[in-house]
Amino acid sequence: MSFDLSSVNLQEVHDWSVDLARRAGQMMLDGSNKRFQNPSTEDHKTDAKKNAVDLVTEVDQAVEAFVISEIEKRWPSFKFIGEETQSAGADSVLDDHPTFIVDPIDGTMNFVHGNPWCAISIGLSINRIPYIGIIYSPFLNEMYTAIRNQGSYLHKPNQPPLRLPLQPPTPLAVNTALIITEWGADRTTIGTSALSESSKENFDVKLRTYFNLLRNSPNMVHGMRSYGAASLNLCSVAAGHNDAYWEGGCWEWDVCAGWVILHEAGGFMCEGNPPENFEADVEGAKVEEATLIGRKYLAIRGAKGGRKEQEDLAKWVWKSMEGGRMTYGR
Ligand code: LIP
């Protein structure tokens, strides 16, 4: 049975989460300063999780522990799913209950390098739908916020909040598209023949798709960008700075908050993989909304031509996969 939404004061949770994000952001700033002012590894650890490019620092863990303790104090009946808690072995499963879905530092690789494109991402899911999104990058001093059905905003110091998108939606087309993609941590490949042979490795499926979207053709995209943090990537699509963001392999904590920010800016989060039998009936294929825990996402900005233009771009990305599918377990 679905959860009774009316029992949750969304504005109250939103305002509380904004304050929490600011306090966690200060921990990121302090943690980064300490790491760079005193680079000796004794105090600062950068551990590899799945592999050498899937990193966690003591700051990620400290911020998540802080967030959990604050949530337990203020919202003891709400559930929690967080990147570091899950990586440490918790196997929380998303259900209809109000659940905070948190990435303490999204863009940890950027954080380790002192690259400012990283943020705390705080999402609230109810009935497995993102209802609140707070994404704060203390280094960029930008906060993105949204409550479902109440719009999404960019907050910068000393100015009123800016409603998203930041410019009226323009027409959306493949041959003028700027698309964000990420290489991610899963780099298994069959090697240089990945473009010619139909390897099922996720990395190879991505490589072929990037190649097909970029290569010289009447429909080559304007360009691709990789910034390194799913949450801020979604905000930049919501703002209208980029037209789409395609990634497989990230998790619900990377996308929950950004999803509602995108949705409230007229954007659409669809599946990162085409539906079954897509290649047999491209025209008739349905472009469905993605699932929060699906780990394969294609975010598309609001378009002047509405859902039709969004779906056409989605189908072009899917066509560029040449029958490949990304496969990510839980
Ligand atoms: C990152 C995501 C990014 C993905 C990286 C990593 P993290 O999250 O934001 O989109 O490409 O592999 O998963 O680990 O920095 O929180």
Side-chain angles (χ1 to χ4, degrees):
M1 197 179 69
S2 68
F3 189 87
D4 170 19
L5 195 61
S6 64
S7 66
V8 179
N9 180 335
L10 293 174
Q11 190 64 51
E12 198 182 346
V13 181
H14 168 277
D15 300 349
W16 179 86
S17 303
V18 164
D19 172 65
L20 179 71
R22 289 212 183 283
R23 290 185 285 149
Q26 190 56 52
M27 289 176 71
M28 290 169 68
L29 286 171
D30 299 345
S32 178
N33 291 341
K34 268 172 57 191
R35 288 174 66 89
F36 283 97
Q37 273 152 17
N38 160 13
S40 74
T41 50
E42 272 86 56
D43 314 336
H44 313 307
K45 66 188 185 77
T46 304
D47 291 338
K49 292 193 281 188
K50 205 173 57 210
N51 60 31
V53 293
D54 182 18
L55 304 180
V56 62
T57 71
E58 78 281 1
V59 186
D60 295 74
Q61 289 159 336
V63 170
E64 184 152 325
F66 164 70
V67 167
I68 291 170
S69 67
E70 293 299 300
I71 289 172
E72 282 171 352
K73 272 186 275 178
R74 180 65 188 81
W75 311 99
S77 68
F78 286 18
K79 293 188 174 181
F80 177 85
I81 293 177
E83 175 170 6
E84 303 320 331
T85 313
Q86 295 295 100
S87 308
D91 60 356
S92 318
V93 176
L94 184 63
D95 59 20
D96 291 347
H97 202 79
T99 304
F100 280 101
I101 304 183
V102 173
D103 190 337
I105 303 182
D106 185 34
T108 299
M109 180 66 81
N110 289 341
F111 178 79
V112 166
H113 285 265
N115 175 324
W117 191 267
C118 50
I120 177 162
S121 177
I122 302 173
L124 183 81
S125 157
I126 304 174
N127 297 325
R128 303 164 212 238
I129 297 168
Y131 269 89
I132 291 175
I134 311 291
I135 293 173
Y136 177 47
S137 172
F139 305 97
L140 301 171
N141 209 346
E142 292 185 344
M143 181 178 287
Y144 292 86
T145 66
I147 300 176
R148 189 168 275 264
N149 308 320
Q150 297 184 37
S152 53
Y153 300 84
L154 166 58
H155 308 257
K156 292 186 176 185
N158 315 320
Q159 62 181 85
L162 301 162
R163 179 127 193 191
L164 303 180
L166 296 178
Q167 61 245 355
T170 54
L172 193 58
V174 174
N175 56 11
T176 57
L178 204 50
I179 299 184
I180 304 174
T181 56
E182 295 289 351
W183 299 99
D186 176 356
R187 309 279 179 81
T188 313
T189 174
I190 64 168
T192 51
S193 59
L195 287 182
S196 53
E197 289 168 35
S198 60
S199 154
K200 291 197 173 7
E201 295 291 348
N202 289 319
F203 189 69
D204 295 339
V205 171
K206 289 179 180 181
L207 270 181
R208 281 201 303 279
T209 308
Y210 301 162
F211 175 73
N212 289 328
L213 286 168
L214 284 167
R215 70 193 171 111
N216 186 5
S217 73
N219 274 325
M220 63 178 158
V221 298
H222 265 187
M224 283 192 175
R225 302 287 179 269
S226 289
Y227 302 105
S231 57
L232 291 170
N233 292 350
L234 289 166
C235 294
S236 78
V237 174
H241 295 156
N242 288 280
D243 301 300
Y245 163 45
W246 181 68
E247 182 161 14
C250 48
W251 298 81
E252 54 267 27
W253 47 78
D254 295 309
V255 299
C256 182
W259 187 316
V260 60
I261 290 166
L262 173 80
H263 179 270
E264 289 306 306
F268 179 44
M269 181 77 101
C270 57
E271 276 293 341
N273 269 343
E276 249 175 275
N277 309 324
F278 166 70
E279 291 73 17
D281 177 14
V282 171
E283 270 327 297
K286 287 218 169 345
V287 181
E288 309 272 2
E289 188 166 31
T291 57
L292 191 46
I293 60 167
R295 301 197 62 197
K296 301 172 287 288
Y297 311 101
L298 174 53
I300 300 179
R301 72 163 167 80
K304 189 163 184 180
R307 183 55 62 84
K308 173 75 176 72
E309 283 183 353
Q310 291 171 318
E311 294 192 356
D312 288 349
L313 183 59
K315 288 183 177 178
W316 185 265
V317 173
W318 291 344
K319 270 195 274 183
S320 304
M321 297 173 72
E322 280 183 6
R325 298 288 188 276
M326 296 184 286
T327 50
Y328 290 98
R330 301 279 319 161

